């Protein structure tokens, strides 16, 4: 080395870095490159979205599959006691479900065997019913159904639940509808009447089946009210028997207000004096006999006969000439005499009509008094040998 080259070499040596520094920089570069390569290979390789062809809409992304909903827990049946739930779990049934189909003693015998039964009911007692239904309970206890000393009454058995069924479900959830076995308001008239007949099946009620009221779907509750009666006897919906019948038979009740009427307005008799509303063997629900005449003759025995000379209309039906509920004519006749007689006697030894000029001018006696009955008083029949024309 010559002295002339020494300063230049020293300058180059000052600009070249040392070996340890070079090694550190190279290590950092290699570590960074390796990290970038590993990150590139670990990321999912998703192709870039391709633009849709011209004139077509971009496809919608496929919806993700919904997660499966968790299985609902079995509901607890509020109508079962804890002991009953344990019995069902032992038999393999889930809580709130029946393991076997029980026998319901309150269902009718003719019910279909496959009818669904989803609840079991228990009794609570009349005391719990009284907490809410005090008004209904008051009328119930004051009536014949509330006589505890009489073993035939509901009060001697299960009280309110004798007729309405077990009330535990209704007591637990009073706001829910349909928890009573027998809601009489929603039952059909025939079903409600059949339940009443399970006790009231003797005496005058024995002929209810097939009667006029039963065939027209008139329920027992149409005339009677257990919890809101207006009468002192019979749990009637009206204050009297006549008022109860007048709710449907208005035209018959109106006839009682006419001048000639039966002694109903005076209180000497009522509708049930002649009619049996629960069924009879006679027509028109008449109590006595099997015909209208037999019913009338049960009181008017003097018209019974037999007569030597009979009057044909009398033998056929008393209602041919009389209106039993009332009339504006004398003796409750359906028409005023002699027009009533002229309905049948249009050909006789008398003129065919009373409205001829001679009869009116001479003031015929058939137009005054009792008309034809002035001369033929025994029009119901005569036993006189000469009473062919009912004159004697």
């Amino acid at each position: 080395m010559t002295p002339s080259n020494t300063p230049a070499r020293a300058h180059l040596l000052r600009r070249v870095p040392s070996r340890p520094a070079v090694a550190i920089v190279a290590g950092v570069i290699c570590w960074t490159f390796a990290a970038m390569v590993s990150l590139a290979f670990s990321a999912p390789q998703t192709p870039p979205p391709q633009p849709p062809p011209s004139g077509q809409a971009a496809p919608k992304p496929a919806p993700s599959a919904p997660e499966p909903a968790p299985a609902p827990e079995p509901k607890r049946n509020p109508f079962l006691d804890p002991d009953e739930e344990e019995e069902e779990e032992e038999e393999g049934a889930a809580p709130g479900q029946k393991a076997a189909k029980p026998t319901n003693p309150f269902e009718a015998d003719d019910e279909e065997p496959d009818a669904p039964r989803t609840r079991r009911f228990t009794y609570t007692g009349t005391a719990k019913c009284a907490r809410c239904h005090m008004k209904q309970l008051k009328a119930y206890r004051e009536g014949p159904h509330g006589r505890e000393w009489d073993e035939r009454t509901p009060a001697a058995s299960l009280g309110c639940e004798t007729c309405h069924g077990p009330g535990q479900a209704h007591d637990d959830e009073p706001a829910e509808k349909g928890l009573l076995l027998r809601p009489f308001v929603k039952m059909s008239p025939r079903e409600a009447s059949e339940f009443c007949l399970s006790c009231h099946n003797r005496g005058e009620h024995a002929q209810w089946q097939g009667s006029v009221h039963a065939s027209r779907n008139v329920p027992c509750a149409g005339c009677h009210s257990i919890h809101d009666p207006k009468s002192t006897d019979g749990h009637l919906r009206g204050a009297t028997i006549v008022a109860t019948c007048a709710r449907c038979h208005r035209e018959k009740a109106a006839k009682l207000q006419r001048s000639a009427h039966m002694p109903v307005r005076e209180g000497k008799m009522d509708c049930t004096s002649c009619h049996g509303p629960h069924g009879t063997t006679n027509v028109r629900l008449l109590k006595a006999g099997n015909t209208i005449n037999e019913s009338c003759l049960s009181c008017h025995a003097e018209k019974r006969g037999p007569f030597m000379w009979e009057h044909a209309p009398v033998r056929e039906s008393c209602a041919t000439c009389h209106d039993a509920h009332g009339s504006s004519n004398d003796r409750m006749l359906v028409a005023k005499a002699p027009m009533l007689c002229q309905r049948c006697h249009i050909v006789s030894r008398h003129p065919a009509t009373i409205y001829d000029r001679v009869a009116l001018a001479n003031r015929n006696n058939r137009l005054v008094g009792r008309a034809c009955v002035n001369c033929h008083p025994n029009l119901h029949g005569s036993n006189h040998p000469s009473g062919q024309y009912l004159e004697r």
Side-chain angles (χ1 to χ4, degrees), residues 208-236:
W208 173 263
Q209 299 292 346
S211 65
V212 176
H213 284 165
S215 61
R216 297 185 180 182
N217 282 335
V218 178
C220 300
C223 301
H224 303 276
S225 176
I226 303 302
H227 300 297
D228 189 21
K230 298 296 188 297
S231 65
T232 56
D233 298 327
H235 281 288
L236 297 177

Side-chain angles (χ1 to χ4, degrees), residues 173-297:
E173 301 180 15
E176 186 174 352
K177 298 180 180 180
L179 296 183
L180 289 177
L181 289 181
R182 299 186 194 93
F184 290 97
V185 178
K186 299 182 179 180
M187 293 173 63
S188 65
R190 194 174 301 276
E191 292 176 351
S193 298
E194 286 179 357
F195 183 79
C196 296
L197 292 174
S198 61
C199 294
H200 301 277
N201 55 2
R202 293 176 292 180
E204 62 179 3
H205 304 93
Q207 296 176 337
W208 173 263
Q209 299 292 346
S211 65
V212 176
H213 284 165
S215 61
R216 297 185 180 182
N217 282 335
V218 178
C220 300
C223 301
H224 303 276
S225 176
I226 303 302
H227 300 297
D228 189 21
K230 298 296 188 297
S231 65
T232 56
D233 298 327
H235 281 288
L236 297 177
R237 289 187 174 274
T240 60
I241 295 177
V242 178
T244 303
C245 298
R247 297 171 69 246
C248 297
H249 305 282
R250 297 179 182 272
E251 74 284 358
K252 302 298 187 296
K255 291 181 179 180
L256 297 175
Q257 307 302 321
R258 296 181 176 179
S259 58
H261 59 271
M262 299 186 74
V264 177
R265 286 159 45 182
E266 291 76 15
K268 296 180 179 180
M269 59 185 302
D270 53 37
C271 301
T272 57
S273 301
C274 299
H275 300 277
H278 301 103
T280 63
T281 58
N282 202 341
V283 296
R284 306 290 183 179
L285 292 178
L286 293 173
K287 281 186 174 181
N290 296 316
T291 62
I292 295 179
N293 278 15
E294 291 181 3
S295 178
C296 297
L297 294 175

Side-chain angles (χ1 to χ4, degrees), residues 64-72:
S64 58
E67 298 181 359

Side-chain angles (χ1 to χ4, degrees), residues 78-108:
F79 304 102
L80 297 181
D81 296 335
D83 299 337
E84 296 175 348
E85 292 183 0
E86 294 178 0
E87 293 177 0
E88 291 187 354
E89 292 177 358
E90 293 177 0
E91 295 176 0
Q97 298 180 357
K98 291 178 182 278
K101 192 176 183 180
T103 301
N104 195 334
F106 300 98
E107 293 183 356

Side-chain angles (χ1 to χ4, degrees), residues 7 10 32 47 67 86 111 125 130 134 151 157 165 167 197 203 212 229 249 271 282 297 306 309 344 359 362 376 381:
T32 304
E67 298 181 359
E86 294 178 0
E111 187 178 357
M134 181 58 68
E151 60 181 7
S157 179
L197 292 174
V212 176
H249 305 282
C271 301
N282 202 341
L297 294 175
W309 306 102
C344 299
N362 296 331
H376 306 277

